[in-house]
Amino acid sequence: MRKHIVAGNWKMNNDLPQTEALITELKAQQLTSDAKVMIAPTFTNLWPAFEALRQTNIEVIAQNMHFADHGAYTGEVSARMLKSIGISTVILGHSERRAYFNESDDLLAKKVDAALENKMDVIFCFGEELEDRKSGNHEHIVENQIKNALFHLEASQFKNIVLAYEPVWAIGTGETASPEQAQEMHAFIRQTLFDAYGEDVANATSILYGGSVKPNNAKEIFSKPDVDGGLIGGAALNAEDFFAIINAF
Ligand code: PEP
């Protein structure tokens, strides 16, 4: 059975005291679903978050990383550095990284390789813009994003890859894809995996949905057969809302 995963992407929110306060609230919540829970604080708060959540069922993950191991890349953080503080999952390809930091499919392919070489798991994000959906080009865009960054991998490497379909028009906008739109795209993604790698990879790879998931819509989205969890932005900044979403499974 595929893993259910709900990951909270905190983005550039929460300083250290706010991080500590939110973690205290998260620890007070009850997990009643089988979903694996993850949170992605900013780089400066990864270590304190990791320390505070040791021996809990909440994994601390990174929002980004560089592809090089070390070197003259001012302001960057490597997979090796993340691993050295206990972080073993990273989000790559978030639409905000693509849009504001010009991250291309080629760059993301290098980051994916670096993460896997360092024995990290990757939550790989992709999704179409509103114009792509309006023009009916959304499947083509998504297929290319996945192929360009991931399809050089061996089938066996997909056990360390989680996919996150995040239509750009639904991120932080309050507008979510309908459960039917999400299911349709997730089924298409799974078929794309099947065509390239066969049944085992297609059936075993978790595909998360991201884009304005809230407590009031999570249950319906998560009830779809090809939706294996969620990548949550805004609602992950509130412990009760985040756990209401997780427990919607
Ligand atoms: C995200 O940033 O990955 C995201 C899904 O954000 P939101 O839930 O706020 O739309």
Side-chain angles (χ1 to χ4, degrees), residues 65-71 73 77-80 110-111 114 118:
M65 52 163 250
H66 196 266
F67 60 79
D69 226 26
H70 62 269
Y73 297 103
V77 169
S78 72
R80 186 165 147 190
K110 287 199 212 174
K111 291 189 178 202
N118 282 277

Side-chain angles (χ1 to χ4, degrees), residues 179 183 217-227 248-249:
Q183 169 55 28
N217 59 23
K219 205 175 181 69
E220 221 192 326
I221 293 171
F222 292 166
S223 71
K224 294 296 176 190
D226 287 297
V227 178
F249 265 115

Side-chain angles (χ1 to χ4, degrees), residues 23-200:
I23 285 176
T24 302
E25 289 174 23
L26 289 172
K27 284 166 97 171
Q29 303 296 313
Q30 289 296 319
L31 179 64
T32 59
S33 83
D34 67 352
K36 187 164 174 34
V37 183
M38 301 174 172
I39 58 161
T42 54
F43 282 132
T44 55
N45 292 314
L46 284 175
W47 173 247
F50 179 81
E51 283 266 90
L53 290 167
R54 255 185 220 278
Q55 283 154 12
T56 69
N57 44 23
I58 303 178
E59 181 184 345
V60 179
I61 70 173
Q63 297 176 17
N64 180 35
M65 52 163 250
H66 196 266
F67 60 79
D69 226 26
H70 62 269
Y73 297 103
T74 302
E76 293 290 331
V77 169
S78 72
R80 186 165 147 190
M81 292 165 184
L82 294 171
K83 281 301 292 266
S84 75
I85 62 162
I87 306 299
S88 48
T89 303
V90 61
I91 298 171
L92 293 177
H94 192 280
S95 65
E96 288 150 18
R97 299 293 319 169
R98 293 175 189 262
Y100 307 142
F101 302 96
N102 298 320
E103 294 202 1
S104 64
D105 292 346
D106 287 352
L107 176 81
L108 292 168
K110 287 199 212 174
K111 291 189 178 202
V112 168
D113 288 345
L116 297 182
E117 276 160 24
N118 282 277
K119 305 206 175 335
M120 294 185 76
D121 292 336
V122 173
I123 298 181
F124 182 76
C125 306
F126 53 88
E128 82 282 1
E129 310 262 351
L130 188 56
E131 309 84 79
D132 304 321
R133 183 153 283 266
K134 282 189 176 156
S135 65
N137 212 20
H138 46 294
E139 289 187 345
H140 179 65
I141 294 286
V142 160
E143 184 178 4
N144 280 337
Q145 287 172 325
I146 299 171
K147 282 189 173 164
N148 294 343
L150 298 179
F151 277 16
H152 61 287
L153 299 177
E154 307 277 334
S156 63
Q157 293 179 293
F158 272 82
K159 67 178 185 311
N160 299 106
I161 303 284
V162 170
L163 300 179
Y165 168 58
E166 298 205 298
V168 178
W169 47 272
I171 296 180
T173 57
E175 185 172 345
T176 182
S178 69
E180 291 70 30
Q181 284 173 319
Q183 169 55 28
E184 189 181 41
M185 182 59 94
H186 283 223
F188 171 76
I189 296 162
R190 209 173 295 291
Q191 183 64 44
T192 304
L193 284 178
F194 179 91
D195 294 343
Y197 289 100
E199 192 173 355
D200 288 354

Side-chain angles (χ1 to χ4, degrees), residues 9 11 94 96 166 170-172 210-213 231-234:
N9 174 15
K11 312 192 185 192
H94 192 280
E96 288 150 18
E166 298 205 298
I171 296 180
S212 299
V213 178
L231 184 54
I232 317 299

